[in-house]
Amino acid sequence: MNNKFIPLSVPNLKGRELEYVTRAVETEWVSTGGPYVTEFENKTAEYVKAKGAVSCQNGTSGLHISLMLCGVTNNDEVIVPALTFIAAVNPVKYIGAEPIFMDCDDSLTIDPDKLLEFCEGECSFIDGKLINNTTKKHIKAIIIVHVFGNMADMIKIMDIADKFNLKVIEDATEAIGTYYTSGKYEGKYAGTIGDVGVYSFNGNKIITTGGGGMIVSNNEELLKKAKHLTTQAKVDVVYFIHDEIGYNYRMTNLQAALGLAQLEQLEKFIEVKKQNYYLYKEKLEKVPGLEILNFREDIRSNYWFYALKCSEEYRMDRDEIIKYLSSKNIQSRPIWGLINEQKPYLKNQAYNIEKAKFYLDHIVNIPCSSNLTKEDAEYVIECLN
Ligand SMILES: *Cc1c(COP(=O)(O)O)cnc(C)c1O
């Protein structure tokens, strides 16, 4: 028995983090001013090849602002996935708008065929607006989540969004570094294809600032507005004149110092995650009833989370696997409880949710940190064998 605890996904801070944070402290630039914030924004935009980036306190606040950038108001509806982390959906309610839940396909991201079926069958397109036949409300936007570092089918989704005049917000909180390697969007990064994209630098994400987020877009107007809204909507810095309700959402220089050092290592982290992914895949798929879900073929994934699928053929079910691994000092977890089944969302419309339920019951996430060693991964494999 291995006595070392193997966590699911933890920070890896062995680059220049301490050096940059120390410099932030020594220069006494610890708050929302300071050179690291702008530098981290610029470097992130450059890395994902976006026109610009605006930092924020976390991914959740980035999504909140993104909905405002897309003009979503308290009279509107927004299409969201049923299978995701609840932070992708809560901001819809912060605005006072209502979510409509959509199923996933085998990629765990929104099923574009069902999405089209819903838009054509359950809605009317009147004067350039997609109107929900059930509620008579305007569906203004869709939030796409690039689950576990996979890419949603952006080709089909953008076509549907164009056809029905929907704004597209990419929740790329789990997918910084993922990009298309071929096809219409070749070279395009997750988060930069829709109207606006959001990354998260929470502690469990592939790179971390402790807590933090980033809004990216190719639309200069939206970027300007994002900066305005995240910094209290101040129009005159001397006399403190504000022209709308703003938010105190800007990242601090301390967070950005960490972020900058993390971003320098992102490609290295992806390489380690990729190696461990293929090690798990090769060894675990020899076990009857176990499978590691694939990432889309036409992308380079960031390999953030590994999804182990267990079928009835395997000797344990989802909960038994989690319990067993825990007894072996290995942390694992099921995917999130479906959002449409959570207390605050029971009254919201959910369109034909099938696959999300299946995957919820059959997937276990297994250790995937960028500092997971080959020996650790082999121990996990041995336990599951
Ligand atoms: C992490 C995450 C968020 C929220 O990011 P925070 O930085 O924790 O606010 C939103 N959506 C998804 C899918 C996430 O995984």
Side-chain angles (χ1 to χ4, degrees):
M1 158 111 188
N2 184 346
N3 279 319
K4 185 176 145 206
F5 174 65
I6 304 178
L8 182 65
S9 180
V10 288
N12 185 348
L13 306 170
K14 294 170 198 71
R16 301 173 77 181
E17 288 83 358
L18 198 57
E19 182 190 328
Y20 293 169
V21 172
T22 302
R23 202 181 301 160
V25 172
E26 281 173 354
T27 57
E28 299 184 335
W29 284 99
V30 293
S31 192
T32 53
Y36 285 134
V37 185
T38 330
E39 196 180 340
F40 186 38
E41 287 173 333
N42 292 341
K43 290 265 165 74
T44 302
E46 198 181 303
Y47 174 82
V48 300
K49 300 182 168 69
K51 273 242 171 74
V54 174
S55 71
C56 39
Q57 275 299 316
N58 44 50
T60 310
S61 57
L63 289 162
H64 183 194
I65 296 295
S66 297
L67 286 160
M68 300 170 85
L69 298 178
C70 290
V72 175
T73 71
N74 60 3
N75 264 324
D76 299 323
E77 293 185 335
V78 178
I79 295 172
V80 301
L83 183 80
T84 186
F85 179 47
I86 201 162
V89 180
N90 283 341
V92 174
K93 288 275 195 179
Y94 298 169
I95 305 261
E98 294 295 338
I100 303 164
F101 293 98
M102 205 50 58
D103 202 12
C104 66
D105 61 18
D106 296 318
S107 71
L108 303 186
T109 66
I110 274 189
D111 181 340
D113 300 327
K114 267 194 181 165
L115 172 65
L116 182 62
E117 200 180 276
F118 173 81
C119 293
E120 284 177 342
E122 306 289 324
C123 307
S124 311
F125 194 55
I126 304 165
D127 297 335
K129 291 178 179 172
L130 188 66
I131 305 295
N132 185 342
N133 290 346
T134 309
T135 60
K136 308 289 177 228
K137 286 199 172 175
H138 180 186
I139 303 170
K140 208 174 261 174
I142 172 161
I143 296 177
I144 297 299
V145 180
H146 299 298
V147 177
F148 298 157
N150 204 359
M151 180 90 80
D153 188 341
M154 292 309 286
I155 297 177
K156 282 191 184 170
I157 287 165
M158 293 308 289
D159 279 349
I160 297 166
D162 276 349
K163 186 168 173 194
F164 296 108
N165 215 356
L166 295 168
K167 296 282 186 198
V168 176
I169 296 166
E170 292 181 72
D171 175 338
T173 49
E174 306 179 351
I176 189 167
T178 296
Y179 62 85
Y180 273 105
T181 51
S182 65
K184 182 177 177 187
Y185 293 126
E186 183 176 344
K188 287 262 187 199
Y189 280 74
T192 68
I193 299 166
D195 293 279
V196 44
V198 177
Y199 302 118
S200 162
F201 309 116
N202 186 37
N204 68 341
K205 300 302 202 275
I206 189 163
I207 57 172
T208 184
T209 58
M214 193 79 80
I215 298 167
V216 290
S217 177
N218 289 317
N219 180 326
E220 310 262 11
E221 279 301 304
L222 290 190
L223 289 164
K224 239 169 91 185
K225 176 118 193 177
K227 174 90 183 280
H228 190 59
L229 286 172
T230 52
T231 54
Q232 307 280 28
K234 204 187 281 174
V235 283
D236 188 306
V237 293
V238 179
Y239 294 98
F240 284 81
I241 307 300
H242 306 261
D243 64 351
E244 57 189 313
I245 309 263
Y247 296 82
N248 182 14
Y249 277 173
R250 193 159 177 77
M251 184 181 276
T252 67
N253 205 48
L254 275 177
Q255 291 166 304
L258 264 187
L260 209 51
Q262 288 273 283
L263 188 62
E264 290 172 359
Q265 301 167 87
L266 178 51
E267 282 300 316
K268 203 176 77 192
F269 291 170
I270 293 174
E271 191 48 43
V272 173
K273 279 179 176 270
K274 180 180 170 184
Q275 277 172 21
N276 286 327
Y277 172 83
Y278 283 107
L279 180 67
Y280 276 135
K281 195 164 174 67
E282 187 203 323
K283 298 277 173 71
L284 288 175
E285 292 192 348
K286 292 199 174 112
V287 181
L290 291 187
E291 189 189 329
I292 300 279
L293 287 196
N294 294 324
F295 292 104
R296 195 174 292 286
E297 260 175 26
D298 50 356
I299 64 162
R300 192 290 295 263
S301 170
N302 74 352
Y303 299 92
W304 180 58
F305 254 44
Y306 312 143
L308 176 71
K309 181 174 149 219
C310 49
S311 70
E312 274 62 33
E313 223 183 318
Y314 189 59
R315 64 190 153 90
M316 295 182 275
D317 68 15
R318 179 194 71 176
D319 297 333
E320 286 163 348
I321 292 175
I322 293 167
K323 241 172 104 178
Y324 176 73
L325 289 179
S326 171
S327 78
K328 297 285 182 186
N329 249 340
I330 299 166
Q331 188 184 20
S332 66
R333 59 157 223 210
I335 14 186
W336 319 273
L338 302 187
I339 313 301
N340 56 301
E341 293 177 356
Q342 314 264 353
K343 196 173 162 196
Y345 295 106
L346 291 174
K347 291 207 180 90
N348 285 94
Q349 197 172 359
Y351 181 68
N352 213 354
I353 309 291
E354 298 158 319
K355 287 213 163 152
K357 283 190 189 150
F358 172 82
Y359 282 108
L360 169 60
D361 290 342
H362 290 87
I363 299 277
V364 176
N365 290 124
I366 54 177
C368 63
S369 306
S370 54
N371 46 27
L372 182 81
T373 63
K374 189 163 179 250
E375 291 69 41
D376 290 343
E378 273 166 352
Y379 177 66
V380 176
I381 292 163
E382 189 189 308
C383 291
L384 287 166
N385 242 308

